[in-house]
Short mmCIF file of all heavy atoms in Angstrom, two decimals:
data_model
loop_
_atom_site.label_atom_id
_atom_site.label_comp_id
_atom_site.label_asym_id
_atom_site.label_seq_id
_atom_site.Cartn_x
_atom_site.Cartn_y
_atom_site.Cartn_z
N PHE A 1044 3.96 -1.91 5.43
CA PHE A 1044 2.80 -2.32 6.30
C PHE A 1044 1.96 -3.29 5.65
O PHE A 1044 1.61 -4.30 6.23
CB PHE A 1044 2.05 -1.05 6.61
CG PHE A 1044 0.75 -1.32 7.50
CD1 PHE A 1044 0.88 -1.63 8.78
CD2 PHE A 1044 -0.49 -1.30 6.86
CE1 PHE A 1044 -0.33 -1.93 9.51
CE2 PHE A 1044 -1.58 -1.61 7.57
CZ PHE A 1044 -1.54 -1.87 8.95
N ILE A 1045 1.58 -3.11 4.41
CA ILE A 1045 0.70 -3.95 3.69
C ILE A 1045 1.31 -5.34 3.47
O ILE A 1045 0.65 -6.42 3.60
CB ILE A 1045 0.22 -3.37 2.32
CG1 ILE A 1045 -0.63 -2.16 2.51
CG2 ILE A 1045 -0.50 -4.46 1.49
CD1 ILE A 1045 -1.95 -2.36 3.31
N LEU A 1046 2.67 -5.36 3.24
CA LEU A 1046 3.27 -6.63 3.00
C LEU A 1046 3.54 -7.47 4.22
O LEU A 1046 3.87 -8.67 4.15
CB LEU A 1046 4.58 -6.42 2.29
CG LEU A 1046 4.45 -5.85 0.78
CD1 LEU A 1046 5.83 -5.66 0.16
CD2 LEU A 1046 3.59 -6.70 -0.05
N ASP A 1047 3.35 -6.85 5.39
CA ASP A 1047 3.51 -7.54 6.63
C ASP A 1047 2.14 -8.30 6.94
O ASP A 1047 1.20 -7.70 7.28
CB ASP A 1047 3.76 -6.60 7.77
CG ASP A 1047 4.06 -7.22 9.13
OD1 ASP A 1047 3.77 -8.54 9.21
OD2 ASP A 1047 4.55 -6.61 10.07
N ARG A 1048 2.21 -9.64 6.85
CA ARG A 1048 0.90 -10.34 6.75
C ARG A 1048 0.29 -10.44 8.17
O ARG A 1048 -0.78 -10.92 8.31
CB ARG A 1048 1.21 -11.71 6.11
CG ARG A 1048 1.54 -11.71 4.67
CD ARG A 1048 1.64 -13.13 4.09
NE ARG A 1048 1.92 -13.08 2.67
CZ ARG A 1048 1.02 -12.81 1.68
NH1 ARG A 1048 -0.24 -12.71 2.00
NH2 ARG A 1048 1.45 -12.81 0.44
N GLU A 1049 1.05 -9.92 9.20
CA GLU A 1049 0.49 -9.97 10.45
C GLU A 1049 -0.59 -8.81 10.69
O GLU A 1049 -1.35 -8.83 11.62
CB GLU A 1049 1.60 -9.82 11.56
CG GLU A 1049 2.52 -11.01 11.63
CD GLU A 1049 3.54 -10.79 12.70
OE1 GLU A 1049 3.49 -9.80 13.41
OE2 GLU A 1049 4.36 -11.71 12.87
N HIS A 1050 -0.49 -7.90 9.73
CA HIS A 1050 -1.40 -6.73 9.85
C HIS A 1050 -2.55 -6.95 8.85
O HIS A 1050 -2.46 -7.26 7.74
CB HIS A 1050 -0.70 -5.39 9.47
CG HIS A 1050 0.40 -5.02 10.44
ND1 HIS A 1050 1.71 -4.85 10.07
CD2 HIS A 1050 0.34 -4.97 11.86
CE1 HIS A 1050 2.39 -4.52 11.21
NE2 HIS A 1050 1.54 -4.60 12.29
N MET A 1051 -3.79 -6.74 9.37
CA MET A 1051 -4.98 -6.91 8.53
C MET A 1051 -5.55 -5.48 8.39
O MET A 1051 -5.92 -4.84 9.32
CB MET A 1051 -6.01 -7.79 9.26
CG MET A 1051 -5.52 -9.27 9.32
SD MET A 1051 -5.22 -10.07 7.73
CE MET A 1051 -6.84 -10.08 7.01
N VAL A 1052 -5.73 -5.05 7.11
CA VAL A 1052 -6.33 -3.75 6.87
C VAL A 1052 -7.36 -3.96 5.67
O VAL A 1052 -7.16 -4.83 4.75
CB VAL A 1052 -5.24 -2.74 6.38
CG1 VAL A 1052 -4.55 -3.18 5.22
CG2 VAL A 1052 -5.90 -1.36 6.22
N ASP A 1053 -8.46 -3.34 5.85
CA ASP A 1053 -9.57 -3.40 4.80
C ASP A 1053 -9.56 -2.25 3.79
O ASP A 1053 -9.79 -2.45 2.55
CB ASP A 1053 -10.97 -3.42 5.44
CG ASP A 1053 -11.08 -4.57 6.40
OD1 ASP A 1053 -11.11 -5.74 5.95
OD2 ASP A 1053 -11.24 -4.38 7.66
N ILE A 1054 -9.23 -1.08 4.28
CA ILE A 1054 -9.34 0.11 3.47
C ILE A 1054 -8.18 0.99 3.73
O ILE A 1054 -7.72 1.24 4.82
CB ILE A 1054 -10.61 0.91 3.77
CG1 ILE A 1054 -11.87 0.07 3.60
CG2 ILE A 1054 -10.72 2.21 2.85
CD1 ILE A 1054 -13.16 0.74 4.14
N VAL A 1055 -7.49 1.49 2.60
CA VAL A 1055 -6.36 2.39 2.73
C VAL A 1055 -6.77 3.74 2.12
O VAL A 1055 -7.30 3.86 1.02
CB VAL A 1055 -5.17 1.82 1.93
CG1 VAL A 1055 -4.05 2.91 1.91
CG2 VAL A 1055 -4.69 0.58 2.54
N LEU A 1056 -6.51 4.80 2.96
CA LEU A 1056 -6.73 6.17 2.50
C LEU A 1056 -5.34 6.74 2.26
O LEU A 1056 -4.53 6.85 3.21
CB LEU A 1056 -7.43 7.03 3.58
CG LEU A 1056 -8.76 6.50 4.00
CD1 LEU A 1056 -9.30 7.27 5.20
CD2 LEU A 1056 -9.81 6.56 2.87
N VAL A 1057 -5.04 7.07 0.99
CA VAL A 1057 -3.56 7.38 0.67
C VAL A 1057 -3.52 8.63 -0.18
O VAL A 1057 -4.25 8.83 -1.07
CB VAL A 1057 -2.88 6.20 -0.02
CG1 VAL A 1057 -3.66 5.79 -1.28
CG2 VAL A 1057 -1.50 6.53 -0.31
N ASP A 1058 -2.54 9.48 0.19
CA ASP A 1058 -2.17 10.67 -0.67
C ASP A 1058 -1.40 10.18 -1.87
O ASP A 1058 -0.91 9.07 -1.87
CB ASP A 1058 -1.42 11.62 0.11
CG ASP A 1058 -1.23 13.02 -0.51
OD1 ASP A 1058 -1.91 13.25 -1.56
OD2 ASP A 1058 -0.57 13.85 0.02
N ILE A 1059 -1.21 11.01 -2.89
CA ILE A 1059 -0.46 10.56 -4.10
C ILE A 1059 0.92 11.22 -4.06
O ILE A 1059 1.92 10.44 -4.12
CB ILE A 1059 -1.25 11.02 -5.36
CG1 ILE A 1059 -2.50 10.26 -5.51
CG2 ILE A 1059 -0.33 10.81 -6.58
CD1 ILE A 1059 -3.29 10.52 -6.76
N ASN A 1060 1.08 12.54 -3.88
CA ASN A 1060 2.38 13.17 -3.89
C ASN A 1060 2.96 13.02 -2.54
O ASN A 1060 2.67 13.83 -1.51
CB ASN A 1060 2.25 14.64 -4.33
CG ASN A 1060 1.98 14.72 -5.75
OD1 ASN A 1060 2.37 13.86 -6.50
ND2 ASN A 1060 1.34 15.85 -6.12
N MET A 1061 3.94 12.06 -2.33
CA MET A 1061 4.53 11.86 -1.02
C MET A 1061 6.01 11.51 -1.31
O MET A 1061 6.41 11.05 -2.41
CB MET A 1061 3.89 10.67 -0.24
CG MET A 1061 2.46 10.96 0.11
SD MET A 1061 1.81 9.64 1.20
CE MET A 1061 1.80 8.24 0.01
N PRO A 1062 6.89 11.82 -0.31
CA PRO A 1062 8.29 11.44 -0.47
C PRO A 1062 8.60 9.96 -0.63
O PRO A 1062 7.79 9.09 -0.27
CB PRO A 1062 8.94 12.00 0.75
CG PRO A 1062 7.85 12.02 1.75
CD PRO A 1062 6.58 12.29 1.02
N ARG A 1063 9.82 9.68 -1.05
CA ARG A 1063 10.35 8.30 -1.22
C ARG A 1063 9.52 7.48 -2.23
O ARG A 1063 10.11 7.15 -3.26
CB ARG A 1063 10.46 7.54 0.12
CG ARG A 1063 11.34 8.26 1.15
CD ARG A 1063 11.86 7.24 2.13
NE ARG A 1063 10.83 6.72 2.96
CZ ARG A 1063 11.01 5.70 3.87
NH1 ARG A 1063 12.25 5.07 3.91
NH2 ARG A 1063 10.00 5.21 4.60
N LEU A 1064 8.26 7.21 -1.98
CA LEU A 1064 7.46 6.43 -2.99
C LEU A 1064 6.09 7.02 -2.92
O LEU A 1064 5.40 7.09 -1.91
CB LEU A 1064 7.48 4.94 -2.53
CG LEU A 1064 6.75 3.97 -3.49
CD1 LEU A 1064 7.40 3.95 -4.85
CD2 LEU A 1064 6.63 2.61 -2.94
N ASN A 1065 5.64 7.45 -4.11
CA ASN A 1065 4.38 8.15 -4.07
C ASN A 1065 3.19 7.11 -3.99
O ASN A 1065 3.37 5.94 -4.15
CB ASN A 1065 4.17 9.03 -5.39
CG ASN A 1065 3.95 8.27 -6.64
OD1 ASN A 1065 3.22 7.24 -6.74
ND2 ASN A 1065 4.70 8.60 -7.73
N GLY A 1066 2.01 7.71 -3.66
CA GLY A 1066 0.85 6.82 -3.25
C GLY A 1066 0.38 5.96 -4.47
O GLY A 1066 -0.08 4.87 -4.27
N MET A 1067 0.48 6.50 -5.64
CA MET A 1067 0.01 5.72 -6.85
C MET A 1067 0.92 4.48 -7.08
O MET A 1067 0.44 3.34 -7.27
CB MET A 1067 0.06 6.61 -8.13
CG MET A 1067 -0.49 5.97 -9.35
SD MET A 1067 -2.39 5.85 -9.13
CE MET A 1067 -2.80 7.60 -9.25
N GLU A 1068 2.29 4.76 -7.06
CA GLU A 1068 3.16 3.54 -7.34
C GLU A 1068 3.02 2.54 -6.08
O GLU A 1068 3.12 1.36 -6.31
CB GLU A 1068 4.56 4.05 -7.38
CG GLU A 1068 4.79 4.83 -8.66
CD GLU A 1068 4.38 4.15 -9.91
OE1 GLU A 1068 4.69 3.02 -10.06
OE2 GLU A 1068 3.64 4.77 -10.76
N ALA A 1069 2.89 3.06 -4.91
CA ALA A 1069 2.77 2.23 -3.76
C ALA A 1069 1.53 1.37 -3.84
O ALA A 1069 1.51 0.17 -3.57
CB ALA A 1069 2.69 3.04 -2.45
N THR A 1070 0.45 1.95 -4.33
CA THR A 1070 -0.79 1.19 -4.50
C THR A 1070 -0.68 0.05 -5.52
O THR A 1070 -1.14 -1.06 -5.30
CB THR A 1070 -1.94 2.17 -4.93
OG1 THR A 1070 -2.14 3.10 -3.86
CG2 THR A 1070 -3.28 1.40 -5.19
N LYS A 1071 -0.04 0.37 -6.59
CA LYS A 1071 0.22 -0.66 -7.61
C LYS A 1071 1.01 -1.84 -7.10
O LYS A 1071 0.65 -3.01 -7.33
CB LYS A 1071 0.95 -0.03 -8.77
CG LYS A 1071 0.18 0.93 -9.64
CD LYS A 1071 1.02 1.62 -10.78
CE LYS A 1071 0.26 2.69 -11.47
NZ LYS A 1071 1.08 3.27 -12.56
N LEU A 1072 1.98 -1.58 -6.28
CA LEU A 1072 2.73 -2.68 -5.66
C LEU A 1072 1.97 -3.41 -4.71
O LEU A 1072 2.06 -4.59 -4.49
CB LEU A 1072 4.04 -2.07 -5.01
CG LEU A 1072 5.05 -1.46 -6.09
CD1 LEU A 1072 6.16 -0.72 -5.35
CD2 LEU A 1072 5.65 -2.59 -6.89
N CYS A 1073 1.14 -2.70 -3.84
CA CYS A 1073 0.29 -3.29 -2.78
C CYS A 1073 -0.65 -4.30 -3.44
O CYS A 1073 -0.92 -5.38 -2.91
CB CYS A 1073 -0.36 -2.29 -1.94
SG CYS A 1073 0.70 -1.36 -0.86
N LYS A 1074 -1.27 -3.83 -4.55
CA LYS A 1074 -2.40 -4.63 -5.13
C LYS A 1074 -1.77 -5.82 -5.86
O LYS A 1074 -2.47 -6.85 -6.23
CB LYS A 1074 -3.12 -3.79 -6.19
CG LYS A 1074 -4.20 -2.95 -5.47
CD LYS A 1074 -5.06 -2.20 -6.45
CE LYS A 1074 -6.34 -1.68 -5.71
NZ LYS A 1074 -7.29 -2.74 -5.45
N GLN A 1075 -0.42 -5.91 -6.13
CA GLN A 1075 0.04 -7.13 -6.65
C GLN A 1075 0.09 -8.21 -5.65
O GLN A 1075 -0.05 -9.43 -6.11
CB GLN A 1075 1.55 -6.89 -7.10
CG GLN A 1075 1.68 -5.94 -8.36
CD GLN A 1075 3.07 -5.72 -8.69
OE1 GLN A 1075 4.07 -6.33 -8.19
NE2 GLN A 1075 3.32 -4.83 -9.65
N ASN A 1076 0.08 -7.90 -4.40
CA ASN A 1076 0.12 -8.90 -3.37
C ASN A 1076 -1.28 -9.03 -2.78
O ASN A 1076 -1.65 -10.09 -2.29
CB ASN A 1076 1.09 -8.56 -2.27
CG ASN A 1076 2.56 -8.65 -2.71
OD1 ASN A 1076 3.08 -9.68 -2.63
ND2 ASN A 1076 3.11 -7.55 -3.24
N LYS A 1077 -2.06 -7.90 -2.79
CA LYS A 1077 -3.41 -7.92 -2.12
C LYS A 1077 -4.36 -7.28 -3.05
O LYS A 1077 -4.73 -6.08 -2.91
CB LYS A 1077 -3.39 -7.30 -0.80
CG LYS A 1077 -2.56 -8.04 0.26
CD LYS A 1077 -2.81 -7.44 1.66
CE LYS A 1077 -1.97 -8.34 2.72
NZ LYS A 1077 -2.20 -7.86 4.11
N PRO A 1078 -4.74 -7.98 -4.20
CA PRO A 1078 -5.56 -7.32 -5.20
C PRO A 1078 -6.88 -6.85 -4.71
O PRO A 1078 -7.49 -5.99 -5.40
CB PRO A 1078 -5.68 -8.43 -6.29
CG PRO A 1078 -5.39 -9.72 -5.55
CD PRO A 1078 -4.47 -9.31 -4.50
#
């Protein structure tokens, strides 16, 4: 969702322990593109 530049989001509320990719690792990857 974050990498889709058509979507604009200001604030993300995210859990940490989640399937496939946890919230901590996902946040690190998101911030590489949208610091």
